[in-house]
Amino acid sequence: RNRRRTAPRRGRDRGRRTRPLVLILDISGSMAPYSRALMQFAFAAMAAGRRVEVFCFGTRLTRVTRTLRTKDPDRALREIGHLVEDWEGGTRIGASLKELVDGWSQRASIRGSVAVICSDGLERGEPDLLRDQMAKLRRLVHKIVWVNPLKGSPHYEPLARGMAAALPYVDVFASGHNLASLEEIGAQLDRL
């Protein structure tokens, strides 16, 4: 008899692998009340030892991963404020995601990652572009988590054009309106 021997698969018995995180943080004017907390969330995610890439966007995308590798979150936040030209400006989520997918999908740890988009979904660009880019991102990553601080309100409905266009591609839709909700998201990310 010819019995095929198979080598045991590595990693299967040791549990799930920890997937890289890609944090995509909206720093536009409408997100100004939450920007500092989101940067601290990103800083904490990086400090936890997981592979993390961090991007900020308003009207365009800026990679801030290296800046957040410092041990001083206040210094990192100041440096990011100088690095990001469109801080507290407009919002072009679709165009920013296009920059991410087209420019960074081969260079950063995006493929197979958990992508976390932190935004209120108030898109100023075309919702069709956002929809198309969300579909492309969905094919690249393991899961998409959308953190929307407006969802913390009991009266919130995702009716904004951008949010409505993006939602069909989102695996987890969470609130991020306070520290407790961000801690809860951190716990959820550990399970993804």
Side-chain angles (χ1 to χ4, degrees):
R1 290 182 201 178
N2 254 347
R3 272 198 165 164
R4 250 178 44 179
R5 287 188 175 190
T6 58
R9 293 186 183 187
R10 292 183 178 199
R12 279 251 166 126
D13 297 331
R14 291 186 219 150
R16 294 179 310 183
R17 70 177 184 165
T18 302
R19 293 185 178 274
L21 283 181
V22 177
L23 303 179
I24 308 155
L25 311 176
D26 184 343
I27 46 80
S28 66
S30 63
M31 288 290 289
Y34 310 102
S35 296
R36 183 173 179 80
L38 292 178
M39 284 299 151
Q40 289 172 331
F41 176 70
F43 190 83
M46 291 188 80
R50 194 170 184 170
R51 276 191 317 172
V52 180
E53 284 286 344
V54 184
F55 297 87
C56 292
F57 74 91
T59 55
R60 57 193 240 195
L61 191 75
T62 305
R63 182 176 182 251
V64 297
T65 306
R66 284 193 184 115
T67 309
L68 284 171
R69 286 195 180 121
T70 179
K71 298 206 182 314
D72 181 354
D74 291 326
R75 181 175 150 219
L77 193 60
R78 282 193 305 275
E79 286 181 25
I80 289 169
H82 296 299
L83 183 66
V84 177
E85 294 177 17
D86 57 348
W87 193 279
E88 294 187 10
T91 313
R92 298 214 180 275
I93 307 169
S96 298
L97 289 180
K98 181 169 178 37
E99 281 184 66
L100 178 76
V101 169
D102 291 351
W104 290 96
S105 62
Q106 300 301 319
R107 294 189 281 170
S109 303
I110 293 175
R111 201 170 290 281
S113 69
V114 175
V116 182
I117 302 170
C118 300
S119 175
D120 54 16
L122 301 178
E123 171 70 285
R124 299 285 181 234
E126 287 301 314
D128 289 344
L129 177 62
L130 175 54
R131 183 178 298 109
D132 293 346
Q133 297 312 309
M134 286 294 291
K136 287 180 183 178
L137 183 63
R138 185 69 199 94
R139 288 190 293 273
L140 280 173
V141 302
H142 176 66
K143 299 275 184 191
I144 296 178
V145 176
W146 193 295
V147 178
N148 186 328
L150 301 180
K151 191 175 185 288
S153 165
H155 305 294
Y156 173 75
E157 292 183 47
L159 302 176
R161 296 180 329 150
M163 198 67 254
L167 211 48
Y169 303 96
V170 173
D171 297 294
V172 177
F173 187 44
S175 167
H177 65 291
N178 60 23
L179 185 58
S181 63
L182 288 174
E183 286 174 353
E184 185 179 313
I185 291 161
Q188 280 185 312
L189 292 176
D190 287 341
R191 295 189 294 270
L192 294 178

